[in-house]
Amino acid sequence: MSGFVEKPEPIQVPGLVHLHTGKVRELYQNEAGDLVMVASDRMSAYDWVLPTEIPDKGRVLTQLSLWWFDQLRDLAPNHVLSTELPAGAPADWAGRTLVCKSLKMVPVECVARGYLTGSGLLEYNESRTVCGLALPEGLVDGSELPAPIFTPATKAEVGEHDENVSYEEVARQVGADTAAQLRQATLAVYSRARDIARDRGIILADTKFEFGFDGDSLVLADEVLTPDSSRFWPADQWQPGRAQPSYDKQFVRDWLTSAESGWDRKSEQPPPPLPEKVVRATRQKYVEAYERLTGLSWS
């Protein structure tokens, strides 16, 4: 059992039709047919959307995505039309709302990996492959790969796992031409972002993108290169052979699996509220990632 501990009721705004409540976003459509994305402060972990929010998280993710879209503009067009607040929207939506093109989304999580960890490490330890791609012997948790690899996954509903699939399966599902476009765009964007992050003392271990079509053009959509969609590691603490410190929700995961939380991840019980110390530390990690990557001060 998983999903929302407490599913929120969407805010009703005149002129907007609510389409979907995601793990961290509310999706609306305006009268022009554009998509309005509102990033909440919700936090998800272990397939649950937790009852405790992280202050400023939605704004940090939105502003960091906008910064990255600017860095990647020459490589991949994106879906952002405007950051203006829709008429009648709550003041709290400021800084966390994007008006975007409505695209024909490709139902694939486009994952790029430059380092071995997570689900890729589990598969490698069993078969020396990741998503069917053969890798050299001797790699450990945190090893840099010989070259970045495209390891797609199927998109899951709230409360379910994304499932890694082979490139051949993606080609079967969406067609060979689209699969090739997805792989090329994913690896190009990852490589650019990896180099930008490296210049700022951060390792981009892996990330996932979503793409959609605007006519015949492949367009980068959703959030991009945030701590929710990427593994960022401080380069000066990188040490293959162990779990790496990271700019993400690790404080939340560690507390939920600690004796202090009292929560059994394997039970059907929802996770408990987060303590203030975990909320503060997690918020600071998100802000630190934003400031180190962009060079801007969060206020």
Side-chain angles (χ1 to χ4, degrees):
M1 188 176 170
S2 54
F4 286 91
V5 175
E6 300 168 4
K7 189 168 184 178
E9 285 295 322
I11 295 171
Q12 301 300 319
V13 177
L16 299 184
V17 176
H18 182 260
L19 300 177
H20 179 65
T21 295
K23 289 181 181 179
V24 298
R25 283 176 188 76
E26 300 290 345
L27 299 183
Y28 296 80
Q29 189 174 51
N30 65 18
E31 292 172 340
D34 304 320
L35 196 66
V36 179
M37 295 174 47
V38 185
S40 74
D41 291 336
R42 295 193 291 267
M43 172 66 74
S44 66
Y46 299 122
D47 299 320
W48 284 96
V49 181
L50 305 180
T52 310
E53 296 189 339
I54 306 298
D56 286 329
K57 176 175 174 280
R59 291 188 177 89
V60 171
L61 297 187
T62 300
Q63 298 308 311
L64 185 54
S65 288
L66 286 168
W67 184 84
W68 277 116
F69 281 136
D70 280 344
Q71 312 306 308
L72 304 167
R73 193 173 297 278
D74 61 313
L75 277 183
N78 64 71
H79 67 162
V80 178
L81 295 172
S82 170
T83 58
E84 286 189 24
L85 209 56
D92 182 60
W93 283 18
R96 62 174 77 241
T97 302
L98 298 178
V99 181
C100 305
K101 292 178 184 176
S102 185
L103 306 173
K104 183 181 179 183
M105 297 302 295
V106 182
V108 176
E109 294 278 4
C110 293
V111 180
R113 301 177 191 267
Y115 293 75
L116 185 64
T117 194
S119 62
L121 177 66
L122 294 176
E123 182 184 333
Y124 173 83
N125 286 338
E126 291 180 356
S127 61
R128 296 299 182 263
T129 64
V130 177
C131 288
L133 297 173
L135 293 175
E137 292 283 343
L139 301 181
V140 295
D141 193 356
S143 288
E144 184 172 9
L145 301 178
I149 57 175
F150 176 60
T151 58
T154 56
K155 289 171 60 65
E157 296 297 320
V158 175
E160 299 179 7
H161 279 300
D162 293 344
E163 182 178 344
N164 291 348
V165 295
S166 68
Y167 177 78
E168 289 72 24
E169 176 61 20
V170 172
R172 188 188 68 78
Q173 289 185 15
V174 302
D177 289 347
T178 296
Q181 287 186 70
L182 293 175
R183 179 168 61 184
Q184 188 278 329
T186 297
L187 293 176
V189 172
Y190 169 80
S191 297
R192 167 74 63 80
R194 174 202 59 196
D195 293 347
I196 291 172
R198 184 177 288 160
D199 288 344
R200 289 154 172 78
I202 292 178
I203 289 171
L204 174 57
D206 56 41
T207 191
K208 64 180 180 180
F209 303 116
E210 293 195 33
F211 292 92
F213 279 98
D214 180 20
D216 293 331
S217 298
L218 191 66
V219 176
L220 189 57
D222 200 56
E223 66 177 312
V224 62
L225 294 156
T226 71
D228 270 17
S229 65
S230 316
R231 282 190 177 91
F232 292 114
W233 299 335
D236 59 0
Q237 298 178 54
W238 176 52
Q239 186 180 324
R242 63 172 173 89
Q244 311 299 318
S246 58
Y247 295 98
D248 62 7
K249 60 185 84 170
Q250 197 57 49
F251 286 114
V252 172
R253 294 192 194 100
D254 290 347
W255 185 81
L256 286 173
T257 55
S258 72
E260 182 183 346
S261 81
W263 181 56
D264 180 1
R265 184 182 166 190
K266 296 178 181 177
S267 74
E268 294 190 355
Q269 295 301 310
L274 301 175
E276 180 59 31
K277 64 181 180 181
V278 174
V279 171
R280 276 198 314 271
T282 303
R283 178 189 180 278
Q284 183 53 40
K285 274 295 175 189
Y286 277 80
V287 169
E288 185 181 347
Y290 172 86
E291 292 185 336
R292 287 198 64 176
L293 285 165
T294 67
L296 302 171
S297 176
W298 182 259
S299 56

